[in-house]
Amino acid sequence: MASNPNSRTCTGPGNPHWYNLGMTPQNPQDLLLSVRQAYREHVNPGLERLFAFMGLPLEWRSEGCTIYDAEGIGYLDCLGGYGVFSLGHRHAKVVEAVKRQLDLMPLSGKIFFNKPVADLAVKLSEIAHLPYSFLCNSGTEAVEGAIKVARKATGKHNFVATIGGFHGKSMGSLSASGRDVFKVGYDPLVPGFAHVPFGDAAAMEEAVGLDTAGIIVEPIQGEGGIVCPPADYLPRLRALCDKAGALLILDEVQTGLGRTGKMFACEHYGVVPDVMTLAKALGGGVMPCGAFLATADVWEKAFGENPLIHTSTFGGNPMAAAAALATIQAIQDEGLCEKSRLMGERMVAGLRRVQAEFPQHILEVRGMGLMIGVEFADDDVGKLVIGKMISNHVLAAYTLNNPRVIRMEPPLIISPEQVDQAVSVFAAAMTSTAELLTEMGV
């Protein structure tokens, strides 16, 4: 029997017309089961088991600060794709820019000059005070490039990174990351990486030597648990690099582009790095886009002899560049750095009121802008709270390197009412969790 392209009958992702079903499919539970089967058999069985255990639905569409599942139920997105959706979902200006570029030329021929790439590079130079940029597709690619140019520019091989730091999961960026659980089974990693406690400038001074190519740190540790350093930490690292002839590499993949209340987190500390990595929010939640930026001196030493020493087939494609340019423009035009600061203060204040009610369970609420962490006294408390929040249609997650910390990274466009909704749901989840723990005698 021939398929009817207008039919609303959904038999799963194998049905070529399942994506034409409109706002919601007719049989969402059947579709979910078929997707779960595909995950078990062709994607990742362990991930399917985890998502099924958590009772997670099938995401279907999104808009603004809301993700809708296949049944049409909306969830306030306070996870924000781990920092991807700073502009929310499907921001009109970014979508328009990508559609316009799609009609012109989706991918580069790689042999001619490219205007979207040129325009984005100029804009990145203006906002980051670093003149050159290389466009790629992700944060881990940006970190890999930063490692390469640091070695090339300095002629040195060693790096100092931080315990609890997270820079990606490809081999070089994984070597820089400071959590051993992600490294099991992948030895030998890239040699030359040492790790010291984050925020401890004295430990960094002891670790840096004449053979150090660079220090690589996040201005605020994201996956490490939303950890803010002492106010003098980054300035001391800047001075240390200048003294040792090493490069200061700041990983702003998660903290960049308004997330912390300024365009870049390093601005809070008055520091400009030698190399900066970006991704996540750079594509506006519409296109994957990453970049690493550097000083003119670093660029000349890395690319001067051979401009093709580091390349990417899809990096800097016209649609991604158009999305990134529209993203930066929207952040500036809509005052989202300041809005992030104000909404962050509102959310932190609300979360701290909840903390005051449950001091035995909540150790600390911390962060900058809309990069906020809630640390619990026990890993299991956070897991229970997250589950209850999701069941009440607010999305959050714990950090990869520290399961005791729930992070809140909603879109920068979040409204005061949505902030209050998130806090209210968190409070109810905490109340329910505390009652459950009391019943269990914990």
Side-chain angles (χ1 to χ4, degrees):
M1 182 176 177
S3 297
N4 178 1
N6 297 314
S7 171
R8 293 187 61 84
T9 300
C10 181
T11 58
N15 179 349
H17 304 297
W18 70 273
Y19 51 82
N20 289 325
L21 296 175
M23 301 299 276
T24 57
Q26 185 175 2
N27 302 307
Q29 287 301 317
D30 291 345
L31 181 59
L32 173 60
L33 291 175
S34 68
V35 170
R36 284 180 52 185
Q37 180 179 349
Y39 265 61
R40 285 195 303 273
E41 297 177 0
H42 304 291
V43 180
N44 187 326
L47 191 62
E48 188 275 335
R49 289 192 295 270
L50 175 62
F51 283 7
F53 176 76
M54 295 177 66
L56 299 180
L58 175 66
E59 62 183 11
W60 191 254
R61 65 182 182 90
S62 59
E63 186 168 2
C65 295
T66 306
I67 295 177
Y68 296 89
D69 68 16
E71 296 186 354
I73 298 171
Y75 295 78
L76 178 61
D77 186 6
C78 284
L79 176 58
Y82 306 104
V84 168
F85 297 106
S86 288
L87 294 187
H89 296 265
R90 298 172 49 244
H91 190 284
K93 292 179 181 177
V94 182
V95 170
E96 179 186 1
V98 171
K99 286 182 176 179
R100 185 166 57 246
Q101 187 59 49
L102 176 64
D103 288 336
L104 286 172
M105 188 176 192
L107 294 178
S108 169
K110 307 304 291 187
I111 194 66
F112 294 159
F113 289 108
N114 184 298
K115 189 176 189 303
V117 169
D119 292 344
L120 176 57
V122 169
K123 178 60 75 172
L124 288 172
S125 174
E126 290 174 356
I127 64 175
H129 309 294
L130 292 167
Y132 290 97
S133 58
F134 180 96
L135 302 181
C136 53
N137 305 285
S138 65
T140 196
E141 290 178 56
V143 172
E144 295 286 348
I147 292 169
K148 286 180 66 177
V149 298
R151 283 186 166 176
K152 180 75 171 172
T154 63
K156 304 174 184 180
H157 300 94
N158 293 338
F159 294 87
V160 185
T162 57
I163 297 168
F166 184 83
H167 302 287
K169 291 179 180 175
S170 53
M171 292 300 282
S173 59
L174 182 61
S175 303
S177 294
R179 184 87 191 279
D180 289 341
V181 67
F182 300 123
K183 302 179 181 182
V184 174
Y186 295 109
D187 292 328
L189 295 175
V190 177
F193 287 85
H195 295 81
V196 299
F198 179 72
D200 189 339
M204 189 69 76
E205 289 172 4
E206 291 184 12
V208 170
L210 295 177
D211 59 351
T212 301
I215 293 171
I216 179 168
V217 296
E218 301 156 275
I220 299 169
Q221 282 196 337
E223 303 297 346
I226 316 298
V227 182
C228 300
D232 67 343
Y233 182 62
L234 290 185
R236 288 179 67 179
L237 298 193
R238 173 72 277 174
L240 175 59
C241 285
D242 292 341
K243 180 180 178 180
L247 301 183
L248 178 60
I249 304 169
L250 293 186
D251 184 338
E252 293 256 15
V253 166
Q254 191 167 164
T255 56
L257 300 168
R259 174 56 53 187
T260 67
K262 290 186 180 290
M263 187 62 79
F264 303 107
C266 60
E267 295 178 28
H268 291 283
Y269 306 99
V271 169
V272 177
D274 299 295
V275 184
M276 177 189 289
T277 61
L278 299 174
K280 292 193 183 294
L282 185 58
V286 177
M287 290 293 297
C289 189
F292 63 88
L293 291 68
T295 64
D297 181 63
V298 168
W299 219 256
E300 174 60 27
K301 291 175 179 177
F303 290 98
E305 184 177 322
N306 182 355
L308 299 177
I309 196 71
H310 185 74
T311 58
S312 171
T313 300
F314 294 111
N317 72 76
M319 289 201 300
L325 189 61
T327 296
I328 296 169
Q329 199 63 55
I331 291 171
Q332 293 177 323
D333 291 347
E334 299 174 26
L336 294 184
C337 292
E338 177 64 6
K339 185 168 185 182
S340 174
R341 183 185 69 82
L342 293 173
M343 292 302 97
E345 289 177 353
R346 187 184 187 100
M347 182 170 281
V348 165
L351 294 172
R352 284 178 176 165
R353 288 194 295 271
V354 181
Q355 178 191 8
E357 295 181 30
F358 301 97
Q360 72 276 31
H361 295 302
I362 303 176
L363 298 180
E364 187 178 12
V365 176
R366 57 178 179 260
M368 282 188 179
L370 283 169
M371 186 175 182
I372 300 167
V374 180
E375 183 169 1
F376 297 94
D378 185 86
D379 294 1
D380 292 334
V381 176
K383 294 174 184 176
L384 290 169
V385 169
I386 288 170
K388 293 180 182 300
M389 289 181 69
I390 293 174
S391 68
N392 284 287
H393 309 142
V394 173
L395 302 182
Y398 57 76
T399 55
L400 292 179
N401 285 358
N402 190 344
R404 292 191 178 189
V405 179
I406 282 182
R407 62 176 163 197
M408 300 283 202
E409 294 186 40
L412 311 186
I413 63 170
I414 193 170
S415 68
E417 294 76 18
Q418 289 170 321
V419 169
D420 295 344
Q421 176 191 349
V423 171
S424 177
V425 168
F426 174 79
M430 189 65 247
T431 299
S432 178
T433 298
E435 291 173 351
L436 176 62
L437 293 174
T438 298
E439 291 175 4
M440 296 171 60
V442 178

